[in-house]
C-alpha cells in the first residue's frame, strides 16, 4: 500500500511539473521597494514604515504622518550584476492635512536599458529599449484616534519588445488599513492590512 501511494505521489508530481507554466507579471516597477528601509526589512513595511515611506507599503498609515510636508527622491542601479544600464528612479511627496488625513503623490520609473532581440538560434537581431513606469496619487483618512484607511490610484505604462516595439497602459489601485494600540510608556502595538494592485486581469503583481 505504501508503495502504491508513493508511486501515485511521484506521477502526480511529474504531471504538475510538466503542466506548470511560468507566470509573468506586468509592470515590474510595482514590486520594487523604493526606500532603503524597505530593502532592509524585506518589504514588510505595512505597519513598520514611517511617514512618506508608507506610500510604498500602506496608504492607510499616511493619515498619521507627523510632518506637514515630506518629499524624497531615490535612485537605484537595478540588477547591476547583470547589466549596467538599468535603473530605478522614485519620487514621492506626502502632505499632512492636520488631524484629518493626508494626500500623497509618487512616481516610479524603471529603465530596463537595452534588451537584445534574438532569433530561435540565439543570433542577435538588434537592440530594443524597454522601460516601465507608474504615477500614483493617494488619500488617507483617520477613522478615529487609533485607526485609518487609505486608497490610491495609479496610471501604469510600459514599453517593451514583442516582435515589434509595443506600448501598454493600464490603471491599478490600492486599499490600506492601519490600526494601533497604545501600550503605555511610549510603546504601541501596530498592525495593518493591504490589498494592492487592484485592476484589470493582466497579471498585475498583487498582495
Amino acid at each position: 500500500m505504501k508503495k502504491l501511494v508513493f508511486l501515485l505521489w511521484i506521477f502526480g508530481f511529474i504531471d504538475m511539473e510538466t503542466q506548470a507554466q511560468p507566470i509573468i507579471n506586468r509592470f515590474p516597477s510595482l514590486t520594487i521597494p523604493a526606500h532603503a528601509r524597505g530593502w532592509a526589512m524585506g518589504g514588510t513595511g505595512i505597519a513598520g514604515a514611517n511617514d512618506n515611506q508608507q506610500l510604498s507599503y500602506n496608504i492607510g498609515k499616511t493619515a498619521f504622518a507627523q510632518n506637514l510636508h515630506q518629499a524624497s527622491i531615490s535612485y537605484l542601479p537595478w540588477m547591476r550584476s547583470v547589466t549596467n544600464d538599468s535603473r530605478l528612479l522614485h519620487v514621492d511627496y506626502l502632505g499632512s492635512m492636520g488631524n484629518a488625513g493626508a494626500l500623497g503623490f509618487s512616481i516610479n520609473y524603471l529603465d530596463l536599458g537595452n534588451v537584445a532581440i534574438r532569433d530561435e538560434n540565439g543570433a542577435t537581431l538588434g537592440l530594443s529599449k524597454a522601460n516601465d513606469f507608474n504615477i500614483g496619487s493617494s488619500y488617507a483618512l483617520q477613522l478615529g484616534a487609533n485607526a485609518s484607511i487609505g486608497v490610491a490610484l495609479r496610471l501604469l505604462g510600459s514599453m517593451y519588445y514583442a516582435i515589434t516595439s509595443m506600448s501598454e497602459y493600464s490603471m491599478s489601485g490600492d486599499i490600506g488599513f492601519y490600526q494601533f494600540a497604545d501600550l503605555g510608556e511610549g510603546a504601541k502595538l501596530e498592525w495593518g492590512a493591504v490589498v494592492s494592485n487592484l485592476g484589470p486581469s493582466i497579471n498585475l503583481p498583487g498582495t
Side-chain angles (χ1 to χ4, degrees):
M1 183 64 180
K2 291 182 178 179
K3 292 182 179 180
L4 177 60
V5 172
F6 180 76
L7 289 174
L8 290 174
W9 181 82
I10 289 293
F11 287 126
F13 180 79
I14 293 174
D15 184 65
M16 289 174 61
E17 286 291 298
T18 56
Q19 293 182 9
Q21 298 293 328
I23 298 176
I24 301 174
N25 289 329
R26 304 289 183 90
F27 306 107
S29 62
L30 292 171
T31 65
I32 304 175
H35 298 275
R37 182 171 180 171
W39 284 98
M41 297 177 65
T44 57
I46 289 178
N50 293 324
D51 297 340
N52 63 311
Q53 296 176 2
Q54 281 294 343
L55 291 171
S56 301
Y57 297 103
N58 186 353
I59 301 299
K61 191 179 179 182
T62 61
F64 288 96
Q66 299 297 313
N67 300 302
L68 185 60
H69 299 286
Q70 302 172 64
S72 67
I73 300 175
S74 59
Y75 172 85
L76 173 68
W78 181 238
M79 299 181 67
R80 182 48 58 93
S81 61
V82 178
T83 177
N84 60 3
D85 63 351
S86 183
R87 58 194 62 84
L88 173 72
L89 177 65
H90 172 82
V91 179
D92 64 34
Y93 165 79
L94 181 64
S96 177
M97 301 175 61
N99 294 324
L103 288 171
F105 178 78
S106 64
I107 299 175
N108 281 310
Y109 177 76
L110 177 61
D111 182 0
L112 296 171
N114 292 314
V115 178
I117 309 304
R118 304 180 187 274
D119 61 17
E120 62 274 9
N121 298 316
T124 301
L125 300 177
L127 296 176
S128 175
K129 294 286 291 183
N131 58 62
D132 181 284
F133 72 87
N134 62 79
I135 302 173
S137 61
S138 67
Y139 176 70
L141 177 68
Q142 294 184 21
L143 301 178
N146 64 346
S148 59
I149 191 170
V151 294
L153 184 65
R154 294 186 182 90
L155 170 66
L156 314 176
S158 179
M159 186 179 76
Y160 59 95
Y161 188 91
I163 303 178
T164 60
S165 294
M166 300 180 64
S167 297
E168 184 176 18
Y169 300 93
S170 187
M171 302 286 291
S172 73
D174 296 353
I175 301 174
F177 173 78
Y178 168 75
Q179 191 171 18
F180 70 90
D182 192 351
L183 303 179
E185 299 182 357
K188 61 181 179 179
L189 178 64
E190 302 176 87
W191 62 91
V194 174
V195 180
S196 64
N197 301 328
L198 296 169
S201 180
I202 54 172
N203 292 337
L204 289 178
T207 54

